[in-house]
Amino acid sequence: METSILEGAKHSGQKYLGEKGLLALIAFLSAFIPLSTDLYLPALPHMADNFQVSAGMINLTLTLFFIFYAAATLFWGPLSDKYGRKPILITGLIFYITASVLCALSTNVYQLIGFRVLQAVASGTATSVGSAVVKDVYEGRKREAALALVFSMMMIAPIIAPVIGAFVLGITSWRGIFWTLSGAGILAFSGAIAMEETVKQRSTGNILQSLSRLGVVLKNPGFTSLLVTFALRSIPLMAFISSSSYIYIDQFGLSAKVYSCFFAGNAVFMVLGPIVYMRISRRIKGNTIISLCYLVLSLSGLLICFLGNLSPWWLAVSLLPSTLAGSVISPPSANLMLEQQKEDTGSASALMNSSITVTGSIGMILISFNWANRIWILGVLNLFFGLLSLFLWLLVSKGPHIVQLKHDKATI
C-alpha cells in the first residue's frame, strides 16, 4: 500500500523525513488520542487509591479530556491554515509534552484534572494537523489509501494501548504512564521538527478572522451535509464502547480478562475495515460501498435485538457486521468531505474530528440511562442510525452541491 500512496503525492518536498517518514508521522499523530486516553485506563483504580478520591472524580480526567479535545480541534485547525501545519504542530506538541510531565508530577487530583485538560487541548493539534497534511500532500485514490492507513492506526491504538499501559504499570506506578506519554510526545516532536511545511498558500487576516473560517466551511452545503451524515455512525459505536464492560461483565457475568478478549476481537474488525475498503473499491464504486455499509449497519442492529441477549458469543457475532461496516466507511467518507473544500483544509479537518467526538458522546449518554436491557437499546441505536444515515446519504450524495471524486469510476 505504501508504494502506491507515495506515487500519489502532489509534491515530495520532505528533505529530511522523506515521503515514507511523513506517512509514518501522520499515522503516529492519528494514534495520539487513543494513546492519551486508553494507555492509562488500567491505572485508574490505582490513581483513585493514590489520591483517596472516588472513581467518579478520577473519571473526570477522561471525560474532560474528550470535551476539551473536541473544542481544541476547532481552534488549532484554522490556525494551521494561517500559520502553517508545522509551527502549530510544534507548538501543540510542546504543550503536550509539558502537560504529560506535569500529570506525572501531580500531587493531588485537582492538579491532575487541570493538567489533563491542558494535555487534551494540546492533543487537538495532532489530529487536526495530521488530517490536514493528508489533504495537502495526497489526492484522489492515493488520498484514500493514506486515510486507510491513518484509520487503521487509529483502530489499532485502542487495542494495544491498554496492554502497554498494563505493562508499564507492572514495572512502575501510574505516574510511569504519563512519563510514557511524554516520551511519545517527544518522538512526535522530533518528527515535526524534521517535517517540511505542506501548506502552499496560507490564509490571511488576524486570529479571529482565521477562526471565523470555521463558519465559512460550515456554509458550504456539500461539506456540512456530508459532515452530519457521516458523523451519525459514531453514535452506536461509542454507545457500545462505553457500555461493553457493563454488558459483558455485569449482564453475562464474564471476567475482566474474558471481556477484554471479546472487546479485542471486535476491535480487530475495526482495523480490517479500511483494508477491506481498499480491496473492494477496486471493483465497486465508493458511493455504492457506503450505501451497502449503512444497510449492513441496520441489519446488524436487528441481529443484536433478536440474538444479542442469548449469549456473549451471539452478541459478538451480531456486532461484527456493524463494526466492520462502520470502519469500511471511514476512508471514503473522510476523503469525500475533504474533497468539498479546496481551501480552509485545517478548518475542515478540525470540524471532521470534532464532530465525531461530539456525536459519539451522544451515544455514550443515550446508553448510560438505567435501561432494563442495554443490548436491545444498542441494537435499536444501530438500526435507527443506520437507516437514518442511509436515508441522508441517498438524499445528499447525488445533490448538486456535492463535489464527486474524479477517480471514482469503478463499476460493480
Side-chain angles (χ1 to χ4, degrees), residues 132-163:
V133 169
V134 171
K135 173 69 183 296
D136 294 338
V137 180
Y138 306 107
E139 58 186 359
R141 178 73 173 174
K142 311 307 177 182
R143 190 195 301 153
E144 277 188 338
L147 287 169
L149 178 65
V150 166
F151 283 112
S152 291
M153 181 59 69
M154 288 175 64
M155 303 305 178
I156 291 173
I159 301 175
I160 64 174
V163 177

Side-chain angles (χ1 to χ4, degrees), residues 62-82:
L62 191 62
T63 305
L64 292 178
F65 184 97
F66 281 112
I67 294 173
F68 281 88
Y69 158 72
T73 55
L74 300 178
F75 174 77
W76 294 115
L79 291 187
S80 73
D81 287 332
K82 175 176 175 56

Side-chain angles (χ1 to χ4, degrees), residues 140-148 277-278 281 331-332 335 405 407:
R141 178 73 173 174
K142 311 307 177 182
R143 190 195 301 153
E144 277 188 338
L147 287 169
Y277 171 77
M278 293 309 298
S281 62
N335 193 22
L405 295 171
H407 73 279

Side-chain angles (χ1 to χ4, degrees), residues 64 70 79 83 123 144 182 247 252 279 292 305 358 361 390:
L64 292 178
L79 291 187
Y83 296 107
S123 295
E144 277 188 338
S182 66
I247 292 174
F252 288 121
R279 294 287 185 181
L292 291 174
C305 287
V358 172
S361 65
L390 177 60

Side-chain angles (χ1 to χ4, degrees), residues 324-382:
L324 183 62
S327 182
V328 167
I329 291 174
S330 297
S333 62
N335 193 22
L336 188 57
M337 282 188 285
L338 289 171
E339 189 68 17
Q340 307 309 305
Q341 283 296 131
K342 298 304 180 184
E343 299 177 343
D344 301 310
T345 301
S347 296
S349 173
L351 287 166
M352 288 164 55
N353 287 291
S354 181
S355 67
I356 293 174
T357 305
V358 172
T359 53
S361 65
I362 295 175
M364 297 173 70
I365 294 172
L366 289 175
I367 203 70
S368 66
F369 292 114
N370 190 27
W371 301 107
N373 191 331
R374 278 196 174 94
I375 293 178
W376 193 83
I377 296 299
L378 185 62
V380 170
L381 290 176
N382 277 272

